Amino acid sequence: MLCDYASRDDETKKASLAGVFDRIWAVGFPAVHGQCYLYVNLAQYAQGQDLSIAFVKQPALVVFQAPFPVPQVPGERPDKVEALVRVAGLPLAAPGEYAFQVRLGQEVLSE
């Protein structure tokens, strides 16, 4: 899920998302989207596996891919991942459909 701003309450551990959106508008191309947050929530994930986040121009052009380290939090379920990822300077080379993907190796777990 994409949003303008995200934060986590230190006491309750709840995530707050503001300005949720699913489209980015640009006047012209190439364009750069200033800043947004990606909210990731995966169940049935085995901690210790190497995840990455890919930004893909559909159908299969990977614009960028970065490792997604998953911190192990004491007291949290070991089979769940929840994270707020700040994304700055999102490159949009041309009009079209783009997507974020959470990957395990090359397998897409979530889009």
Side-chain angles (χ1 to χ4, degrees):
M1 183 176 299
L2 284 174
C3 61
D4 291 324
Y5 182 76
S7 65
R8 182 170 311 281
D9 184 282
D10 290 335
E11 191 173 313
T12 65
K13 307 299 183 216
K14 291 181 180 179
S16 295
L17 311 177
V20 174
F21 61 92
D22 64 357
R23 288 186 172 86
I24 297 174
W25 298 97
V27 174
F29 292 92
V32 176
H33 185 72
Q35 175 178 296
C36 60
Y37 286 80
L38 177 64
Y39 174 72
V40 177
N41 189 337
L42 296 175
Q44 300 178 350
Y45 162 77
Q47 286 186 3
Q49 295 176 329
D50 296 325
L51 293 179
S52 64
I53 292 179
F55 184 60
V56 179
K57 183 172 187 325
Q58 300 296 6
L61 174 65
V62 177
V63 177
F64 70 80
Q65 185 166 337
F68 179 51
V70 180
Q72 295 187 357
V73 180
E76 290 290 322
R77 291 179 21 200
D79 63 340
K80 181 181 177 187
V81 172
E82 183 187 41
L84 304 172
V85 180
R86 182 179 168 268
V87 179
L90 194 59
L92 305 165
E97 187 174 330
Y98 292 80
F100 278 100
Q101 298 175 339
V102 178
R103 296 179 171 192
L104 175 59
Q106 290 305 310
E107 177 187 359
V108 176
L109 300 179
S110 178
E111 183 172 83

